[in-house]
Amino acid sequence: MTPEQLKASILQYAMEGKLVKQDPNDEPASELVKKIENEKNQLVEEGKIKKGRKTGAIAENEKPFDIPNSWSWIRLNAIANDIGDGLHGTPKYTSNGEYSFINGSNLKSGSISLVNAKHIDKAEYEKIKINLDEKSILISLNGTLGNLAKYNNEKVALGKSAGYVVLTNNLVFDYIYVFLESPVFKSFYTQNYTGTTIKNIPLKALRNCPIPLPPIEEQKRIVAKIEKLMPLVDEYAESYNRLQKIDNEFEDKLKQSVLQYAMEGKLVKQNPNDEPASELIKKIENEKAELIKEGKIKKSKKLPSINDDEKPFDIPDSWEWVRLGQIINLISGRDIPKKDHLNKEIKGSIPYITGASNIDKNGNINISEWVTNPTVVVNKGTILLSVKGTIGKISILDLAQAHIARQIMGIDNMFGIDKKYLQYYIESYVQQLQQKAKSIIPGISRDDLLLAILPLPPVKEQERIVIKLERLLSSINSLYL
């Protein structure tokens, strides 16, 4: 159960008369209703409030549940001295006005937020003011429905999406506020709003809203009980959120643990008949030399040897530590001017991968732009890595070709390394890459990749590791669907 669901359950219980015990000595709510009627009639005679609109009796089908015998169903209009909304129009604003002009969007978490509120002067306020007092509750009637705030004598004027309810003196103010927070009221306005794109609670519906009204003493007990329970709900929310965070992180940590095992040579058994990785390195060096000779790749700068202090763990005897730059061709992306981007594919164009936004959490590539003048083209099977902004999104290109922007680097595996093994190594190394990212907009350099050290197994063991990893990671994913 989420904290929100727990709070809603408590408030629902309160509205149904199940949160505290009834006391047979309490004066029943029916007597309270009479007192409220007498008070309102007296205020009308004195000219302090206007005579309220008549509302019909509450039909049985309007009552969503049974309430205790000492309670009464009553309409909101019957227990309020006034229900209305703010100005239907635009006031004359002034930058240094002392009064804030607010709407329903300014009502948040029980109080009035003045963020982005415009201001009016006293003369303008006097034209549109509403007589609110400490028994007033503000409620959003338009757009986001049902947001509440207790009025505390703030210097505010209301717009039309800010409604107000001014309660009579014969009620426990906080009980009515609890009702307006409860699932009972939320269900009411969900059933009674108008509009589709922008939802609206009509004032007529608000005035007719049925309320389960307890005796005055029980109202006090309900409020006191809720005040004791809400701090416990807050404590529960803290624990719940911590557990959610742990749960959300656990999947990633589990995957990282499995990848780490694989990189340490502990995921599958070594086969003494496998050709050792040292022979694979010799073949790679010979192939690179031939490609340089043929002009197919450029000769790269010599990479420093790996010392023992750099090696984070021991690896099997048949494996070798290598710099990533020894076994890949690294391709840096380049931006193409925005004016040359196309929003649809045409003849002669190729997909343009601009950055991490093109790669989803499952490694799928989504294309929304194309170019006809590519300068950095990567081919199908190239491993793509986001290296600026969002660091570490990975995908293997499944398109024939694509141009990559500078937020992406391509890892071209030309030398017989299992492509999926190489991808899994990079996934295991992403956190270290993220730690290397510097500046306000995070980014990693070519050297951050080229100098990375990779534990290289024999080719046959690479294949076995990939098979085992795909089975294990698939099982982990299925647990979190």
Side-chain angles (χ1 to χ4, degrees):
M1 180 182 287
T2 67
E4 293 77 17
Q5 290 170 332
L6 178 58
K7 180 179 179 180
S9 295
I10 291 169
L11 298 183
Q12 181 72 30
Y13 259 57
M15 294 303 106
E16 293 179 11
K18 297 175 180 177
L19 192 64
V20 300
K21 289 182 179 180
Q22 280 72 53
D23 185 339
N25 296 315
D26 288 344
E27 184 178 71
S30 56
E31 293 301 312
L32 173 60
V33 171
K34 292 176 184 176
K35 289 179 181 178
I36 292 171
E37 288 174 352
N38 291 335
E39 180 198 351
K40 289 183 70 174
N41 289 335
Q42 183 65 35
L43 291 172
V44 169
E45 284 183 20
E46 294 171 1
K48 292 181 179 178
I49 65 171
K50 293 179 181 179
K51 189 172 183 179
R53 293 171 174 82
K54 278 196 171 184
T55 52
I58 298 174
E60 288 301 315
N61 62 4
E62 291 183 87
K63 302 172 184 176
F65 45 79
D66 292 331
I67 55 176
N69 292 332
S70 58
W71 291 35
S72 293
W73 282 104
I74 190 166
R75 297 199 189 277
L76 184 58
N77 193 55
I79 58 171
N81 287 337
D82 191 15
I83 295 177
D85 58 8
L87 177 69
H88 286 234
T90 304
K92 183 180 178 181
Y93 298 121
T94 179
S95 59
N96 59 352
E98 60 181 304
Y99 292 86
S100 300
F101 186 75
I102 65 167
N103 271 293
S105 58
N106 296 100
L107 311 179
K108 296 178 180 178
S109 304
S111 59
I112 298 171
S113 168
L114 299 181
V115 175
N116 298 323
K118 294 183 178 179
H119 297 87
I120 60 176
D121 60 23
K122 187 170 183 180
E124 188 70 8
Y125 170 75
E126 290 295 332
K127 297 177 189 176
I128 61 174
K129 74 175 182 180
I130 296 163
N131 291 321
L132 304 176
D133 59 27
E134 70 280 357
K135 300 283 282 185
S136 302
I137 299 172
L138 305 182
I139 179 169
S140 59
L141 304 176
N142 184 270
T144 301
L145 304 181
N147 283 354
L148 301 172
K150 296 176 181 179
Y151 177 72
N152 288 312
N153 295 312
E154 294 94 340
K155 289 187 172 183
V156 294
L158 307 184
K160 68 176 181 179
S161 65
Y164 61 88
V165 178
V166 182
L167 298 171
T168 67
N169 291 319
N170 285 293
L171 294 164
V172 176
F173 174 86
D174 284 335
Y175 173 79
I176 305 303
Y177 189 85
V178 165
F179 166 76
L180 294 173
E181 278 192 305
S182 75
V184 184
F185 182 64
K186 289 178 182 176
S187 175
F188 172 80
Y189 68 66
T190 298
Q191 295 171 26
N192 287 275
Y193 70 76
T194 60
T196 51
T197 306
I198 300 176
K199 297 171 183 175
N200 178 72
I201 306 175
L203 284 176
K204 181 179 179 181
L206 186 62
R207 293 183 179 109
N208 281 316
C209 176
I211 292 183
L213 189 69
I216 195 74
E217 293 302 321
E218 190 168 347
Q219 291 179 38
K220 294 175 184 176
R221 294 197 297 274
I222 289 171
V223 168
K225 186 66 175 284
I226 288 173
E227 287 177 348
K228 285 183 180 179
L229 290 175
M230 287 305 116
L232 300 178
V233 173
D234 292 339
E235 288 179 22
Y236 172 76
E238 289 180 13
S239 300
Y240 178 88
N241 291 334
R242 281 197 299 269
L243 287 173
Q244 285 293 103
K245 187 173 184 290
I246 291 168
D247 189 51
N248 292 338
E249 292 174 348
F250 185 73
E251 180 182 5
D252 289 337
K253 288 182 178 178
L254 184 56
K255 287 180 180 178
Q256 282 297 317
S257 295
V258 171
L259 290 172
Q260 185 65 29
Y261 251 58
M263 295 303 115
E264 292 178 10
K266 297 175 181 177
L267 198 62
V268 299
K269 290 183 178 180
Q270 282 71 53
N271 185 338
N273 297 317
D274 289 343
E275 184 178 72
S278 57
E279 293 300 312
L280 173 59
I281 292 172
K282 291 177 185 176
K283 290 178 182 178
I284 290 171
E285 289 172 348
N286 292 334
E287 185 179 348
K288 284 182 79 172
E290 188 63 30
L291 290 170
I292 291 167
K293 187 177 178 181
E294 295 172 1
K296 293 181 178 178
I297 63 171
K298 293 179 180 179
K299 187 175 182 179
S300 56
K301 66 180 181 181
K302 189 174 181 180
L303 299 171
S305 58
I306 300 170
N307 60 55
D308 287 340
D309 291 340
E310 289 182 271
K311 300 171 184 176
F313 46 80
D314 293 330
I315 54 175
D317 293 338
S318 58
W319 291 36
E320 293 290 336
W321 284 104
V322 295
R323 300 254 181 223
L324 190 57
Q326 292 176 249
I327 61 170
I328 66 164
N329 181 36
L330 185 61
I331 306 164
S332 295
R334 186 178 301 165
D335 290 346
I336 287 179
K338 189 69 178 175
K339 65 183 178 63
D340 294 330
H341 298 193
L342 304 171
N343 58 14
K344 63 180 180 180
E345 186 176 10
I346 65 171
K347 187 176 180 180
S349 66
I350 70 170
Y352 183 21
I353 300 173
T354 59
S357 60
N358 291 108
I359 303 172
D360 70 18
K361 65 178 182 179
N362 298 315
N364 300 311
I365 295 175
N366 304 307
I367 301 298
S368 58
E369 294 181 287
W370 290 259
V371 290
T372 56
N373 56 344
T375 55
V376 180
V377 176
V378 291
N379 298 309
K380 186 173 183 177
T382 302
I383 298 172
L384 304 179
L385 175 69
S386 63
V387 295
K388 291 188 184 299
T390 300
I391 309 295
K393 277 198 168 183
I394 303 168
S395 180
I396 294 180
L397 185 66
D398 59 356
L399 305 169
Q401 288 187 319
H403 173 95
I404 55 173
R406 68 188 184 94
Q407 288 85 359
I408 298 287
M409 287 186 192
I411 297 169
D412 192 3
N413 171 30
M414 306 171 71
F415 308 114
I417 309 297
D418 189 290
K419 195 171 299 174
K420 289 297 291 184
Y421 177 79
L422 195 53
Q423 179 188 1
Y424 285 133
Y425 161 73
I426 294 167
E427 287 183 9
S428 75
Y429 193 65
V430 159
Q431 288 183 354
Q432 294 179 62
L433 289 174
Q434 290 169 341
Q435 290 170 6
K436 294 174 185 290
K438 300 176 179 70
S439 77
I440 297 173
I441 301 175
I444 57 173
S445 68
R446 286 177 61 86
D447 279 352
D448 288 330
L449 281 169
L450 294 173
L451 296 177
I453 60 172
L454 172 143
L456 186 66
V459 171
K460 292 293 182 184
E461 190 168 347
Q462 292 176 37
E463 295 170 0
R464 295 195 299 275
I465 288 171
V466 167
I467 291 170
K468 186 70 174 284
L469 272 174
E470 294 197 328
R471 188 163 64 245
L472 287 172
L473 294 176
S474 176
S475 297
I476 292 170
N477 288 336
S478 66
L479 290 173
Y480 287 87
L481 289 177

